[in-house]
Amino acid sequence: MSISTHEGDPMLTVIQWYRSLRGKILLSLLLLIIAPVLFIVFSFYSSSRQIVETQLYFSNQTSVERKAAAMNELSVRILKASNLIMNDQETLKFLRDPSDWTNEYPAFYSYTTLINKMSNIRDLLLDNFAYLALYDYRGYIHTSWAGTSKLTYGTMHQEPWFDSTSKLAGSPNWMVPYKAQDEDGDPLLVMARVMNPARQGGDGMLWIGVPVSNYFYPVEELRRQAQSGVHMLLLDGDKPLLGDSAWTGGAKALSEAIRVDESGIRRVTIGKEDYLVNEADLTGPGWKLVQLVSSQAFASGLKQAKNKSTLLMLFWFSLFAVAFIGLMFRFTRPIIPLVRSMNRVGKGELNTTVEVRGNDEIAMLGRNFNKMVQQLQELVAHLSEEQQRKQKAQFQALQAQINPHFLTNTMNSIKWMAILSGATHVSEMLTKLGKLLNYTMQQKEEIVRLREELNYLQVYMALQEIRYHDNVTMTVDVPEALLDAEIVRFTLQPIVENSLIHGNRFPLHIEITAKLEEELLRLQISDNGVGMGEETIRSVEEKMNQPHAKFSGIGIRNVNERIKLEFGSRYGVSLGNREEGGVLATVTLPYRRRSENDAALVDCG
């Protein structure tokens, strides 16, 4: 599509190109898709591996320091609990009292006070997973989990930590992992102290323990971390205490091989694999928490970071793409009403126009479309006038056709009745025939009330009862409210006549009913004749819907055509068989009610 421009004005040419739909889409593509994608790709690939590695290392360092802080905090709570017990005067008095607490009440009271204090201190500072025990050198050990039991000094002295704790003279002796010989549970972190170290040998021994899984890491978590290339160690100098069993033997070599690069990252090479080293000190026991991350695990973390950047890039790309699509829809929005209007015109709805804005190609299409629709409206109006004139002439011809057809059949009935009956009922038949002719001659309107059409049909059936010697009967079941409904004149008589001719069974009964269905008036005319075959019904209905077909059911075809000419193609006559035998004809009309005053005015006119 070309746009007219002034050849000598380049600025005007640029403006015209920008206003065009093509120019808008290309400019949007450049600003919202190409430029952002280039910027994102450049930013993504310009980020260095060193930055990502440094971020990952210091993130791991923060995690190790948080774990060390949690371990320190538990160590501090253990020290506080031991201080509360060691500095409690009632506890020290109980340990020095030679009275037998099992037999003397004051001593027993002091004993129960001690047990309660131990339980309260455990619940207050250490939670219920901790273990507290106090050995009183009199052969008893008091615990927070099993009460009091006998334990000789010799048995206690055999514990590996007993001598080392005694030598510390009241200072805490930290041990991990500690596992009692007769216990099957998890190993413990144990802190032991001498009670009242100011006295020679002290007054007893305090022992506090917590499970290693609550202090360090559970075994399953250590195994899971090792599978992902992360190894945790707890060291006392060069001595491994806890951690991955595959690493505890090389603690000394580990500390000697650590090197620090220019970025502050601590590294170590063990075997053929490089590791990042993060560590933090435990100020309470004086130990060190160490984390080793393999280069392979780091590569996996780097890959995750790259994947995150890729997802971010895709997010921004999608965001810009959505913005581009939004602008494209905005620029091409005038096409939508234009297409809708074209579809309506294609369906025959010509009363439509398109709102035109701007000066681009779509606006040009809209203006040309509006001109085309205006020309089509004028053409359709002209054709409509021609069609109305044609329908009026066809209606007059049809009406002229149906009246002679009826009169011929009636006169033929009179002739045969005169021959067969000796003219006994000729006077009566002529009287009824006069009524029929009077109805035909006086009615000038094509639309009458259903009441008038039924009255006419009653007179017609009276003639047919005489002709067929009372072997034909008719019943009418029409609600009073529907008797004033409008109907095309001579609608029912041709259908009833068709039943008389083709019923082929006597006595023959014809039933007429009417009902209202959603603003539609449905009249049903049924008989108890022999009926029609399905193929015959299809053939008759096909011929009824052909404009100029000729067949034996010409009366019904005329009624069907007159209804369609008057009300439209959706109305007319349909045929079918009744389940109990006979033919069922259904007449469908729009429901329009005419009052008595309207009928009087029509008659006067």
Side-chain angles (χ1 to χ4, degrees):
M1 181 181 295
S2 61
I3 303 176
S4 61
T5 60
H6 297 280
E7 296 180 357
D9 193 347
M11 181 61 68
L12 184 59
T13 302
V14 173
I15 294 175
Q16 291 290 347
W17 176 84
Y18 171 74
R19 289 181 177 178
S20 68
L21 180 62
R22 182 178 301 172
K24 292 175 181 179
I25 293 179
L26 290 178
L27 185 59
S28 299
L29 180 65
L30 176 63
L31 295 179
L32 298 177
I33 301 296
I34 298 177
V37 168
L38 292 177
F39 173 77
I40 291 173
V41 171
F42 174 80
S43 300
F44 176 76
Y45 286 107
S46 63
S47 59
S48 65
R49 174 189 174 94
Q50 183 64 35
I51 295 176
V52 177
E53 185 181 58
T54 303
Q55 290 178 348
L56 181 61
Y57 174 82
F58 286 107
S59 176
N60 290 339
Q61 181 64 32
T62 301
S63 177
V64 171
E65 291 175 354
R66 288 178 180 174
K67 181 59 179 178
M71 297 170 68
N72 276 326
E73 192 267 341
L74 181 56
S75 301
V76 170
R77 286 191 287 148
I78 292 175
L79 284 175
K80 287 183 178 180
S82 66
N83 290 334
L84 288 175
I85 296 175
M86 292 184 63
N87 296 324
D88 183 69
Q89 295 301 317
E90 292 182 355
T91 300
L92 295 176
K93 181 180 178 181
F94 171 77
L95 294 176
R96 292 193 300 267
D97 189 358
S99 301
D100 185 3
W101 60 270
T102 62
N103 295 320
E104 298 182 16
Y105 180 79
F108 177 77
Y109 179 82
S110 299
Y111 160 76
T112 57
T113 302
L114 170 64
I115 296 300
N116 291 334
K117 286 181 179 179
M118 291 175 62
S119 298
N120 293 336
I121 291 173
R122 180 200 62 184
D123 296 338
L124 180 64
L125 295 177
L126 302 176
D127 296 327
N128 56 3
F129 55 76
Y131 301 91
L132 275 72
L134 182 61
Y135 182 68
D136 64 1
Y137 290 169
R138 290 178 293 183
Y140 292 97
I141 183 169
H142 311 284
T143 68
S144 62
W145 69 92
T148 301
S149 60
K150 281 279 189 178
L151 185 64
T152 64
Y153 182 86
T155 303
M156 179 63 72
H157 194 273
Q158 292 177 1
E159 290 289 334
W161 50 268
F162 188 88
D163 289 338
S164 59
T165 304
S166 299
K167 293 177 182 179
L168 291 176
S171 297
N173 183 21
W174 298 93
M175 296 162 287
V176 70
Y178 172 81
K179 190 170 183 64
Q181 296 180 359
D182 57 343
E183 294 291 339
D184 297 329
D186 294 338
L188 302 175
L189 165 70
V190 172
M191 192 277 297
R193 299 179 71 177
V194 175
M195 294 290 295
N196 194 15
R199 295 186 60 185
Q200 182 67 28
D203 293 330
M205 192 76 68
L206 176 64
W207 182 95
I208 301 177
V210 296
V212 169
S213 58
N214 294 94
Y215 178 71
F216 189 57
Y217 293 96
V219 176
E220 287 298 325
E221 185 174 351
L222 289 174
R223 185 179 298 113
R224 207 165 39 245
Q225 290 180 352
Q227 291 175 353
S228 62
V230 180
H231 307 276
M232 303 301 302
L233 301 174
L234 183 64
L235 303 179
D236 183 10
D238 296 332
K239 178 184 176 183
L241 299 176
L242 296 173
D244 191 349
S245 59
W247 295 90
T248 54
K252 183 175 181 181
L254 173 66
S255 61
E256 293 175 353
I258 292 177
R259 63 186 184 277
V260 182
D261 64 11
E262 63 276 5
S263 300
I265 299 176
R266 299 167 64 86
R267 303 176 184 272
V268 67
T269 302
I270 301 177
K272 296 182 179 180
E273 191 169 358
D274 293 334
Y275 294 88
L276 303 180
V277 182
N278 300 94
E279 59 183 32
D281 294 328
L282 302 180
T283 57
W287 300 333
K288 181 181 295 186
L289 179 64
V290 179
Q291 181 189 61
L292 300 176
V293 180
S294 69
S295 298
Q296 184 178 359
F298 165 73
S300 176
L302 181 61
K303 184 178 180 180
Q304 292 179 0
K306 287 184 177 180
N307 291 339
K308 182 178 180 180
S309 299
T310 302
L311 291 176
L312 185 62
M313 181 185 69
L314 292 176
F315 169 78
W316 283 108
F317 182 88
S318 302
L319 188 63
F320 286 119
V322 169
F324 168 75
I325 293 173
L327 286 177
M328 184 180 67
F329 276 124
R330 179 179 179 183
F331 296 150
T332 58
R333 186 178 302 168
I335 295 178
I336 298 176
L338 179 60
V339 172
R340 291 176 179 171
S341 297
M342 288 182 176
N343 290 334
R344 287 196 291 267
V345 171
K347 295 178 182 179
E349 301 177 12
L350 300 180
N351 189 19
T352 179
T353 57
V354 177
E355 183 180 2
V356 179
R357 294 180 180 179
N359 296 309
D360 55 17
E361 294 87 344
I362 299 179
M364 186 182 301
L365 285 175
R367 283 191 288 268
N368 291 334
F369 174 79
N370 289 338
K371 291 180 181 178
M372 181 192 70
V373 171
Q374 185 178 2
Q375 293 174 357
L376 286 175
Q377 288 175 347
E378 296 173 357
L379 178 61
V380 169
H382 178 71
L383 292 176
S384 178
E385 293 176 359
E386 292 286 339
Q387 184 68 19
Q388 288 177 0
R389 289 195 294 268
K390 181 179 178 181
Q391 289 180 353
K392 186 175 182 180
Q394 186 178 7
F395 171 75
Q396 293 174 352
L398 289 173
Q399 187 170 0
Q401 180 182 5
I402 195 171
N403 290 335
H405 180 70
F406 167 71
L407 291 176
T408 300
N409 289 337
T410 305
M411 294 303 296
N412 189 46
S413 298
I414 296 174
K415 179 186 72 174
W416 282 105
M417 285 297 300
I419 294 173
L420 296 176
S421 63
T424 304
H425 301 290
V426 172
S427 175
E428 182 179 353
M429 292 181 66
L430 288 175
T431 301
K432 296 183 182 298
L433 179 60
K435 292 181 180 180
L436 296 180
L437 292 176
N438 184 52
Y439 177 79
T440 303
M441 299 297 184
Q442 290 183 357
Q443 291 289 340
K444 297 180 181 179
E445 293 292 329
E446 177 64 12
I447 304 300
V448 298
R449 289 184 299 165
L450 179 58
R451 185 192 308 275
E452 298 170 5
E453 184 74 2
L454 290 174
N455 291 338
Y456 164 76
L457 189 61
Q458 293 286 357
V459 176
Y460 171 79
M461 283 301 298
L463 285 173
Q464 299 303 326
E465 290 174 1
I466 296 174
R467 175 185 176 186
Y468 290 101
H469 303 285
D470 295 326
N471 283 325
V472 293
T473 58
M474 181 182 72
T475 59
V476 178
D477 183 12
V478 177
E480 180 68 25
L482 299 181
L483 290 176
D484 290 328
E486 292 184 344
I487 184 174
V488 176
R489 192 161 57 129
F490 297 116
T491 294
L492 301 179
Q493 182 270 331
I495 300 175
V496 172
E497 183 180 9
N498 187 76
S499 295
L500 294 173
I501 296 173
H502 299 288
N504 293 330
R505 176 182 293 172
F506 293 97
L508 181 70
H509 179 71
I510 300 173
E511 183 179 3
I512 299 176
T513 62
K515 59 182 177 179
L516 186 63
E517 296 181 355
E518 297 181 355
E519 302 301 323
L520 293 178
L521 175 64
R522 295 195 188 275
L523 301 172
Q524 293 184 331
I525 303 93
S526 60
D527 61 56
N528 63 343
V530 297
M532 301 172 64
E534 295 296 332
E535 189 65 29
T536 304
I537 291 176
R538 283 195 296 270
S539 177
V540 170
E541 288 188 336
E542 289 178 0
K543 292 179 180 179
M544 279 198 307
N545 293 319
Q546 295 176 2
H548 304 291
K550 295 184 180 295
F551 63 100
S552 60
I554 189 170
I556 297 179
R557 179 177 66 83
N558 282 337
V559 171
N560 186 59
E561 288 187 0
R562 291 165 59 218
I563 291 174
K564 291 183 180 299
L565 286 173
E566 184 67 32
F567 298 115
S569 59
R570 62 177 293 194
Y571 306 102
V573 181
S574 61
L575 299 177
N577 282 322
R578 300 170 59 196
E579 294 182 359
E580 58 271 23
V583 175
L584 173 65
T586 302
V587 180
T588 303
L589 301 168
Y591 177 65
R592 299 175 183 175
R593 190 173 183 276
R594 177 182 294 184
S595 64
E596 292 285 348
N597 294 334
D598 295 335
L601 291 175
V602 171
D603 293 339
C604 292

